[in-house]
Amino acid sequence: MILTVTLNAALDTTYDVDRLVPHASHRVREVRHRAGGKGVNVARVLQALGHPAVVTGFAGGPTGGAIHDDLARADLVDALVDLPGESRRTVTVVSAADGDATVFNEPGPHVDAEDWHRFLSRFATLARDAAVVVLSGSLPPGVPADAYAELTRLAAEHGARTIVDAEGEPLRLAVRSRPDVVKPNADELRRTTGRPEPEAGAALLRDAGARAVVASLGAEGMLVVSDQGAWRASPPERVAGNPTGAGDACVAALAVGLRDGLDWPATLREAVALSAAAVLHPAAGGFDDQARRRFLSGVEVRGLDGVGA
């Protein structure tokens, strides 16, 4: 089983407009509401690929109820811990003219010490049956900055492999617990490490404790720096669409590769193909499977000498 942790679960609203113009009124062509947050999106992709996943984290208030309801409709295993506070909402505006997405993220409900300890108890129970634990997304107010570090340690105690998809202080603290994989995008990697070159930033996180660093580089593909070496993978073509779920699709592929013991070139091919196919889907957590299959054979993976290992 793959366990996905979304401490700041959300009800995601997506607006499709013809073109996003600042300071203007817009007519929305389509509106979609669904349970979201990075770990929830990862679980949706895993389910579509045929891999069982369990969703945990926090949910609260009427918005939390809507999150529970949508997870049930999607047949996702819901192990969220309820809070007295109100779960957050996010709004994504997708411009059909250029495929760009503009995202508004609320901060989320406050989590007090009692809530956090209730979650740690639930997590310890779930981690016993997990092969891989995915820790992803922002931390709601009140959750300690070292939350991902603590959860990484707990997962390892139960024999689970770990993936951390975060940035800033939560990521800097998490790598000290030696997660198996961390996956920032290029901007997150730069902001976290202060290094403009992805290779240098990845090497810094490796030196700090991460066993492998996967950096998603947008249209340029992905970079992995690990104790087995370093590789860059490039997609076969550029795609236009909604990129907000591409990183979560990448994490889903990494989780499967980690669980199944695949080598990095094979894992990267799947991650790049799946991420590109996710851009073609209108909502985060989905992907175009025909495109994924088409992209797979065209992904180029090359080794990097003198980086990693």
Side-chain angles (χ1 to χ4, degrees):
M1 179 264 284
I2 297 174
L3 176 64
T4 71
V5 176
T6 310
L7 296 176
N8 214 0
L11 187 66
D12 290 344
T13 297
T14 302
Y15 292 154
D16 289 337
V17 300
D18 292 326
R19 181 185 296 274
L20 182 62
V21 181
H23 315 297
S25 177
H26 297 77
R27 186 175 298 278
V28 177
R29 299 192 306 177
E30 186 177 356
V31 182
R32 294 180 296 278
H33 303 284
R34 66 188 330 199
K38 295 176 75 63
V40 173
N41 295 337
V42 172
R44 288 186 189 277
V45 174
L46 288 168
Q47 182 189 57
L49 291 170
H51 304 294
V54 174
V55 174
T56 191
F58 290 111
T63 303
I67 291 171
H68 284 300
D69 290 344
D70 189 65
L71 292 176
R73 284 192 295 271
D75 290 327
L76 289 168
V77 180
D78 178 357
L80 293 170
V81 174
D82 288 322
L83 287 173
E86 184 81 9
S87 289
R88 67 187 179 123
R89 294 173 180 260
T90 72
V91 176
T92 300
V93 182
V94 180
S95 170
D98 51 20
D100 282 348
T102 301
V103 185
F104 300 87
N105 292 309
E106 294 181 2
H110 185 270
V111 177
D112 64 22
E114 182 179 349
D115 296 325
W116 179 237
H117 284 104
R118 283 196 298 119
F119 174 78
L120 289 176
S121 177
R122 173 73 59 86
F123 177 83
T125 299
L126 294 169
R128 294 190 188 108
D129 297 320
V132 176
V133 173
V134 174
L135 308 166
S136 56
S138 62
L139 303 181
V143 170
D146 67 348
Y148 287 151
E150 183 170 9
L151 295 176
T152 297
R153 288 193 298 271
L154 282 172
E157 288 174 6
H158 292 290
R161 312 289 294 277
T162 49
I163 300 173
V164 179
D165 182 5
E167 66 170 310
E169 191 68 2
L171 178 55
R172 284 191 289 269
L173 294 173
V175 296
R176 299 177 185 175
S177 295
R178 296 189 57 76
D180 293 280
V181 180
V182 299
K183 195 224 72 68
N185 63 35
D187 289 339
E188 292 166 343
L189 183 60
R190 183 169 55 252
R191 289 194 294 266
T192 300
T193 66
R195 302 295 179 88
E197 307 85 3
E199 291 85 355
L204 196 65
L205 291 181
R206 279 265 298 123
D207 290 343
R211 299 177 191 275
V213 180
V214 177
S216 48
L217 309 176
E220 302 304 315
M222 290 180 196
L223 163 75
V224 60
V225 179
S226 75
D227 54 5
Q228 300 165 29
W231 294 265
R232 284 194 69 151
S234 304
E237 61 187 73
R238 289 180 178 267
V239 294
N242 180 5
T244 55
D248 302 326
C250 168
V251 171
L254 297 178
V256 173
L258 198 59
R259 184 198 63 189
D260 294 348
L262 302 181
D263 62 25
W264 276 113
T267 299
L268 278 179
R269 285 190 185 90
E270 181 65 41
V272 170
L274 192 54
S275 296
V279 173
L280 297 176
H281 196 274
F287 61 93
D288 183 327
D289 194 46
Q290 286 189 336
R292 166 185 160 265
R293 295 173 187 274
R294 187 177 76 250
F295 293 154
L296 260 175
S297 61
V299 174
E300 178 185 355
V301 181
R302 59 186 178 86
L304 301 177
D305 295 330
V307 181

